[in-house]
Amino acid sequence: MSAAPAMAERALPAATQTERAILGAVLLDNQALIAAAQILSPDDFFNDANRLTFEAMTGLTERSEAIDTVTLREELTRRDALERVGGAAYISGLIDGIPVAANVEQYARTIKDKAILRDAIAEAETIRNMAMDPGADPEVVLVGAQQAIAAIANGAGRAAERVRVYELAEYLELRLPPRQPLLSPWFNEKDLAMLYANRGDGKTWVALSIALGVATGTSALGWEAPARAPVLFVDGEMPVETLQSRTSSLLAGLDPDLDTSEIPFRILAADAQEVPVPALDSPEGKRLLDAILGDAKLVVFDNISTLFGAGPENEAEAWGPAQDLLLGLRRRGVAVLLVHHAGKSGAQRGTSRREDVLDTVIKLQRPGEYRAENGARFEVRFEKARGLIGADVAPFEAQLATDENGCATWIVEGRTRHRVVDLLEAGMPPDAVASELGIHRSTVYRHRNAAIAEGSFDEE
């Protein structure tokens, strides 16, 4: 006797209370949605009300809106779904029992497991119907069964439902907003970049300068930031005292009167933690990054060898998890600057696969006449720069100068000095020049004095 009738009467695998718990956790902590969305899609929810609510939460996040009972109710109303989920009573009931946001990953995996089992049941029923056909070809049935099971195992079935493939004409008609510059001319929103050099050549000075330039909406090494943008700086190795000192010096060089409380710059320093920071491309590290990312438009990782997985550097496969992390940040609209070491050959250390998805690769290289007393002095060379040509990617020399007050500023050959001199010769006062170029006035006087000494500027 067939067991099919008995099976048909059994309920499909589901965890509707767990579905509600994960939605409640998101209401209590919006960051929980990021962790959940890495595991779940709306179709993984068995209960229609829970599925519609998860979709509404995702929609709010995509528009960078907060998720609370008010905005969720408004979003469901906009989608004509509020009554379908059970009205305001359903929404307020989601936080009954005080769901724990820390358990979101466990909740999500439980829901995913049930969804996989339902997929398996659906495919089994399809295979059963194929096999029951009087004219069924056993080989065709077996091949279909193998493909169906493989699709479930690989997650291909659900991925195919979510992936959007455009026809050419439709694709060309898409209205895509232009990416906004973070640091002109080479660094834009969603860009992935790498800066590398030998040990002690000034990588962290440059990375900090770029991060602070973007966060303050000023400049770094002659590159201009058109507006302030939130920055997260993650340091994996430097003593926290040294990092603090360098940050203070660079801020003083930009403008000693800056109100630091208004600068959208946050820093995670491994040396300041009581426990080790996990590899950021590991599951635990990704959860940590999700929790601290906030509204950052730029994340700086200083450096690759201390912040990412411990796999062999020369093996391309070892870079896979980190690459997935970077591409995930790009999809979320976040730009990334990686800081890395040069190898003995002078090229970036380890597998060249790191450069595959990068938009920009910058190398810092000491000039031939370099002396130890020069400190942070190097040539800046663009080894890869998508969409940039000519003067924008021409090599130049930069040197960090620190005055008697501890203000650190960059002397950039052929860039800042020429612009300072041009504006002074046009009759602009030094304070106005500093404001125009986004630099401290002491930097203006330094360039002016150097130009006078070399005879390229006459005060009269």
Side-chain angles (χ1 to χ4, degrees):
M1 185 174 65
S2 173
M7 291 179 61
E9 295 175 1
R10 295 170 61 183
L12 290 172
T16 55
Q17 290 305 311
T18 305
E19 292 175 1
R20 288 173 62 89
I22 208 168
L23 299 174
V26 172
L27 283 173
L28 294 176
D29 181 359
N30 288 183
Q31 293 295 321
L33 183 62
I34 298 173
Q38 291 183 337
I39 299 171
L40 298 174
S41 73
D43 289 340
D44 291 323
F45 286 76
F46 179 74
N47 181 273
D48 282 343
N50 297 338
R51 175 180 57 79
L52 291 168
T53 304
F54 188 78
E55 288 177 340
M57 288 177 166
T58 302
L60 288 168
T61 297
E62 289 174 349
R63 299 198 303 273
S64 300
E65 297 182 23
I67 304 171
D68 55 38
T69 56
V70 175
T71 58
L72 182 58
R73 185 170 64 249
E74 292 174 347
E75 179 68 8
L76 286 165
T77 300
R78 189 181 72 82
R79 294 168 177 253
D80 196 25
L82 182 60
E83 296 308 315
R84 293 164 61 190
V85 304
Y90 164 83
I91 297 175
S92 60
L94 291 175
I95 56 176
D96 290 346
I98 313 179
V100 181
N103 293 338
V104 162
E105 185 176 349
Q106 178 184 338
Y107 297 155
R109 295 199 183 283
T110 298
I111 296 167
K112 188 71 174 181
D113 288 346
K114 300 299 184 183
I116 291 172
L117 292 175
R118 292 196 300 272
D119 281 349
I121 291 171
E123 293 297 346
E125 183 63 20
T126 299
I127 295 167
R128 177 179 179 274
N129 291 336
M130 290 173 60
M132 292 290 289
D133 188 323
D137 182 334
E139 184 174 347
V140 173
V141 173
L142 289 175
V143 170
Q146 290 172 344
Q147 291 175 341
I149 297 302
I152 295 171
N154 296 327
R158 291 184 176 274
E161 294 173 5
R162 299 195 299 270
V163 170
R164 178 71 182 273
V165 179
Y166 296 95
E167 297 294 338
L168 177 59
E170 181 186 15
Y171 178 71
L172 294 176
E173 289 176 359
L174 290 176
R175 295 295 179 261
L176 302 173
R179 288 186 294 163
Q180 298 301 309
L182 294 174
L183 199 63
S184 294
W186 64 273
F187 206 15
N188 300 312
E189 290 179 335
K190 301 174 67 175
D191 275 1
L192 305 178
M194 180 169 69
L195 169 76
Y196 79 94
N198 288 313
R199 293 184 180 87
D201 279 4
K203 298 184 294 296
T204 297
W205 279 112
V206 176
L208 271 173
S209 295
I210 290 172
L212 291 170
V214 171
T216 58
T218 55
S219 64
L221 284 82
W223 300 311
E224 303 294 332
R228 290 188 176 189
V231 174
L232 173 65
F233 193 100
V234 185
D235 180 86
E237 67 175 6
M238 184 163 286
V240 66
E241 298 85 359
T242 303
L243 198 62
Q244 181 189 61
S245 174
R246 293 187 179 188
T247 304
S248 297
S249 294
L250 289 168
L251 279 172
L254 288 173
D255 184 350
D257 297 324
L258 281 170
D259 183 351
T260 55
S261 66
E262 296 182 354
I263 300 173
F265 179 93
R266 293 177 299 126
I267 187 165
L268 169 62
D271 186 53
Q273 311 306 313
E274 295 181 356
V275 295
V277 175
L280 296 179
D281 54 349
S282 68
E284 183 183 0
K286 289 178 180 179
R287 290 194 295 273
L288 169 63
L289 190 59
D290 284 336
I292 66 174
L293 184 63
D295 61 350
K297 290 296 183 183
L298 167 62
V299 179
V300 179
F301 294 118
D302 186 7
N303 55 59
I304 287 175
S305 61
T306 58
L307 294 175
F308 291 91
E313 281 194 328
N314 290 318
E315 291 186 8
E317 291 75 12
W319 183 244
Q323 181 169 288
D324 290 343
L325 171 66
L326 300 181
L327 292 175
L329 288 169
R330 169 182 279 171
R331 286 191 294 271
R332 293 161 67 176
V334 180
V336 176
L337 176 64
L338 302 171
V339 181
H340 192 32
H341 295 295
K344 293 180 180 180
S345 67
Q348 64 100 358
R349 196 171 71 190
T351 174
S352 61
R353 183 187 176 188
R354 292 194 183 96
E355 300 185 17
D356 290 350
V357 299
L358 301 181
D359 300 281
T360 307
V361 178
I362 296 176
K363 179 181 181 180
L364 308 182
Q365 180 175 308
R366 287 179 176 174
E369 70 280 10
Y370 177 83
R371 299 188 302 276
E373 57 267 27
N374 293 155
R377 178 190 171 202
F378 41 75
E379 294 176 350
V380 178
R381 296 184 173 274
F382 285 83
E383 295 190 337
K384 181 179 181 181
R386 286 177 176 165
L388 295 174
I389 59 173
D392 287 342
V393 291
F396 62 92
E397 184 175 309
Q399 181 171 357
L400 188 69
T402 305
D403 64 19
E404 64 279 4
N405 297 316
C407 297
T409 54
W410 292 100
I411 299 174
V412 181
E413 181 180 329
R415 290 194 174 194
T416 306
R417 182 176 301 177
H418 289 171
R419 298 188 65 190
V420 167
V421 170
D422 287 345
L423 293 175
L424 290 174
E425 287 180 338
M428 187 177 286
D431 285 353
V433 173
S435 178
E436 173 71 19
L437 300 181
I439 58 178
H440 190 255
R441 62 182 180 179
S442 64
T443 305
V444 174
Y445 285 110
R446 186 181 301 111
H447 287 310
R448 183 198 65 172
N449 295 338
I452 292 172
E454 66 185 20
S456 60
F457 176 63
D458 186 351
E459 276 190 296
E460 299 301 327

